[in-house]
Amino acid sequence: HNDLPWNIRKFLKNQLVNFRFAEDLREMSPWSRSSWSHTDLLRLREGMVAAQVRASSLNNIFETYHVIFSMLQFWSAYVPCSTQHLDAVQLALEQIDVIRRLVAKYPTYMTLVTTTEGIERAHESGLLASLIGVEGGHAIGTSLGVLRMLYQLGARYLTLTHTCNTPWADCSIADEPGHLPHIGGLSPFGTLVVREMNRLGMMVDLSHVSVPTMLDALRMSRAPVIFSHSSAHALCNSSRNVPDHVLRLLAENGGLMMVAFYPHFISCSESATLQDVVAHINHIRDVAGVDHVGIGAGYDGINITPLGLEDVSRYPYLLAELLGSGRWTEADLQKLVGKNLIRVFRKVEEV
């Protein structure tokens, strides 16, 4: 999960003519001045995201390991809550548009994919498999027709809420002290949204939603669901995180929990470390199983990062830490960085 498209909107008003994504943005204004900027193609390649990379070639980080890791990227078509009931649908379309144009501008690095078959073809070609996720259920304007059109434009997951309730689903803020639920989970229309996403082959993303909404979606969905960027509530009691009883239900559902890197979700503080992120990954593995954990990160959508995971180039260090623990095999890590998501997505397509 990467929020670069929103930064392109903030900094460049979605104009790509002068956006030099293939160069080091740390040396270019305004990116160099922003604590929200963590992504460019150079660092994606360093981080083993933008191409298949043999681990043993990466400056001996992995010592004697010889596994090839292939990762994929969901670019977030994020829609702020301030647009709800106003121009949310328009902004969603504009953000999908800028993602499609960005990928098309760099065809030797990236390719837009909408299927599991497309992901596998991209990996074989050494291209970054670029997918679109719409972040914020208010982006559909309470319309199944809009939902269907977002799917036709390439969106392959919808986050049911952001930091605001929709007319049909409660967000995580409803779980915080002093707040009352708006609906108490999903409304009947919210159930229709989940079922229509199942019919389309669109992943249901439960990051940002309340626990009752999680439970309703898990009960109603005929397909596996995902958490695109959340962490373990047992280790940090943020309302944005997922409690163990939901993780157990997620395993029964066949779904996937992808760990966010934001320190407020990792250590419940302003600072965290790579080892703290490892603790969340291991906890989710312990509770839900190795087939149900992935990496969500959230780069370019956070303004502080864990020590050791400062930007998208740092993924190899996370994987090396897991390999070095003796607990994770190469096959396990392949699941973590992509195979689990492909499995879930394929099941969603089948349903």
Side-chain angles (χ1 to χ4, degrees):
H1 179 95
N2 192 299
D3 282 292
L4 173 69
W6 186 252
N7 283 338
I8 294 174
R9 186 182 188 93
K10 283 194 305 182
F11 296 150
L12 304 177
K13 299 182 179 178
N14 281 3
Q15 301 301 308
L16 296 179
V17 63
N18 294 318
F19 182 45
R20 303 206 297 269
F21 191 40
E23 301 177 34
D24 192 340
L25 294 183
R26 289 169 293 188
E27 299 178 358
M28 299 179 198
S29 179
W31 311 92
S32 59
R33 302 194 310 268
S34 175
S35 60
W36 298 83
S37 178
H38 314 109
T39 306
D40 53 50
L41 282 172
L42 285 176
R43 283 179 284 174
L44 283 167
R45 292 180 74 85
E46 287 179 28
M48 303 197 308
V49 183
Q52 290 192 358
V53 179
R54 187 170 296 277
S56 59
S57 71
L58 291 173
N59 298 321
N60 296 318
I61 289 174
F62 289 87
E63 298 178 354
T64 59
Y65 300 105
H66 300 285
V67 64
I68 292 177
F69 298 101
S70 291
M71 301 177 72
L72 52 131
Q73 186 70 77
F74 267 101
W75 301 109
S76 173
Y78 162 67
V79 183
C81 283
S82 59
T83 65
Q84 184 165 206
H85 309 305
L86 297 170
D87 54 352
V89 175
Q90 176 180 328
L91 261 67
L93 295 176
E94 291 173 354
Q95 293 311 105
I96 289 174
D97 169 68
V98 79
I99 293 167
R100 295 179 68 102
R101 288 190 290 118
L102 177 66
V103 173
K105 187 177 179 180
Y106 295 95
T108 60
Y109 294 93
M110 302 189 285
T111 183
L112 185 71
V113 300
T114 58
T115 64
T116 52
E117 183 181 346
I119 294 171
E120 290 165 347
R121 283 199 305 268
H123 287 175
E124 291 169 1
S125 302
L127 296 173
L128 171 56
S130 296
L131 298 96
I132 300 171
V134 174
E135 188 171 14
H138 53 286
I140 70 170
T142 317
S143 166
L144 295 181
V146 172
L147 175 68
R148 287 187 284 268
M149 287 300 96
L150 295 180
Y151 179 84
Q152 290 297 322
L153 291 172
R156 286 301 178 266
Y157 75 63
L158 173 70
T159 314
L160 298 189
T161 71
H162 195 250
T163 55
C164 53
N165 300 324
T166 67
W168 44 272
D170 284 346
C171 75
S172 63
I173 293 174
D175 292 337
E176 295 179 1
H179 291 265
L180 295 174
H182 170 59
I183 295 166
L186 286 175
S187 74
F189 181 80
T191 296
L192 289 178
V193 170
V194 169
R195 290 291 176 84
E196 184 65 359
M197 292 173 70
N198 289 166
R199 189 188 70 81
L200 291 169
M202 191 175 191
M203 285 177 278
V204 176
D205 177 21
L206 301 181
S207 285
H208 284 287
V209 307
S210 69
V211 171
T213 303
M214 296 175 194
L215 296 174
D216 282 352
L218 282 162
R219 185 172 63 254
M220 300 308 302
S221 180
R222 297 187 176 104
V225 304
I226 66 169
F227 290 86
S228 65
H229 59 304
S230 298
S231 297
H233 190 274
L235 301 187
C236 168
N237 65 350
S238 167
S239 64
R240 273 283 281 107
N241 287 342
V242 183
D244 285 358
H245 69 282
V246 175
L247 289 174
R248 295 186 188 98
L249 292 173
L250 181 71
E252 294 177 11
N253 164 267
L256 179 62
M257 167 77 183
M258 293 184 275
V259 175
F261 291 177
Y262 189 39
H264 285 286
F265 306 155
I266 293 295
S267 63
C268 285
S269 71
E270 290 283 328
S271 62
T273 66
L274 180 153
Q275 289 74 24
D276 294 328
V277 173
V278 166
H280 279 260
I281 292 171
N282 282 331
H283 180 83
I284 295 163
R285 175 179 176 158
D286 289 341
V287 177
V290 71
D291 292 329
H292 307 286
V293 60
I295 297 175
Y299 286 120
D300 277 64
I302 56 179
N303 61 345
I304 49 176
T305 57
L307 181 66
L309 291 170
E310 288 79 9
D311 58 37
V312 295
S313 71
R314 303 294 296 184
Y315 289 118
Y317 295 86
L318 175 62
L319 303 185
E321 183 78 13
L322 292 168
L323 277 172
S325 71
R327 184 175 178 191
W328 287 75
T329 67
E330 297 170 2
D332 291 339
L333 287 187
Q334 288 177 334
K335 291 181 178 182
L336 179 76
V337 302
K339 284 190 173 182
N340 282 343
L341 187 281
I342 293 170
R343 173 187 54 79
V344 168
F345 190 9
R346 182 172 285 116
K347 183 62 177 178
V348 169
E349 291 174 327
E350 291 170 0
V351 171

